[in-house]
Amino acid sequence: RTVDDRLEQIAGFADATYDFNEKLSVAAGVRYFDYKKTTGAQVIIPNYVAGNVRLPYSELKGKEHGTLLKFSANYKFNRDLMIYALATQGYRPGGVNQTLGLPSYASTYESDKLWNYEAGVKSSWFDRKLIVNLDVFQMDWSNLQISASYQGAFGFITNTPSKVRIRGVEWDTSLFPVDGLTLRYSGSYTSA
């Protein structure tokens, strides 16, 4: 078989930051996207064992456009301590499954979307000999793209109506006890 897969995508964004004073800054941004996906295929040599017959060239198309938003703020208590918070949107484009033999409802899938919320602190101590950063986050994911199978043999991507929530905490520390020696400790805990 032959497959012709084309993706056309355009995007534009704008981002602005406003400093209320030396301590408080806020930012907002927007991103516009527009994509078109075209997948064409034909089966030249059939595989009767897998149930595929010779098929003429045909195309499936998908398209979507929209906007994604971003908001953030940070407050600097002094040069060694800052807190911040942000909320951002993300997405993955939908598409066309190239697996032969799928029913029509499984031929395409939609984009999935998420909102990410995060708050944290960045700090340094003891004349910057110790750096400690910590954040907590939550992601709310909808229309999630997942892998599925058809008749136990053919894999494809589809969307689930279930919503996903991911929460966690991340940290990283750096210690500079003497010149030439750096000790680092970082980690995260995630509940999804």
Side-chain angles (χ1 to χ4, degrees), residues 28-48:
V30 63
R31 180 179 189 270
Y32 172 81
F33 66 90
D34 186 311
Y35 74 85
K36 295 177 180 102
K37 174 105 171 170
T38 303
T39 299
Q42 68 180 342
V43 176
I44 300 167
I45 301 172
N47 182 342
Y48 298 108

Side-chain angles (χ1 to χ4, degrees), residues 45-152:
I45 301 172
N47 182 342
Y48 298 108
V49 175
N52 297 329
V53 296
R54 185 179 308 240
L55 293 173
Y57 184 82
S58 64
E59 287 185 341
L60 289 171
K61 296 182 179 186
K63 64 182 180 175
E64 189 171 357
H65 67 276
T67 55
L68 302 171
L69 303 174
K70 170 184 158 184
F71 305 99
S72 67
N74 65 62
Y75 187 84
K76 298 174 187 134
F77 291 94
N78 54 50
R79 74 180 205 126
D80 295 320
L81 181 61
M82 179 187 80
I83 59 173
Y84 69 93
L86 60 85
T88 57
Q89 284 183 297
Y91 88 110
R92 286 186 296 185
V96 176
N97 287 303
Q98 297 177 0
T99 304
L100 296 172
L102 291 177
S104 61
Y105 69 84
S107 60
T108 62
Y109 55 96
E110 299 173 358
S111 65
D112 56 1
K113 297 176 179 68
L114 68 80
W115 269 99
N116 175 61
Y117 308 98
E118 185 178 330
V121 60
K122 294 181 180 279
S123 64
S124 63
W125 305 85
F126 312 113
D127 198 25
R128 299 191 179 216
K129 294 282 187 192
L130 174 65
I131 295 175
V132 179
N133 300 319
L134 173 73
D135 73 73
V136 295
F137 63 89
Q138 175 175 305
M139 293 180 212
D140 293 327
W141 206 342
S142 62
N143 211 28
L144 182 65
Q145 295 173 4
I146 60 170
S147 295
S149 66
Y150 178 68
Q151 296 179 341

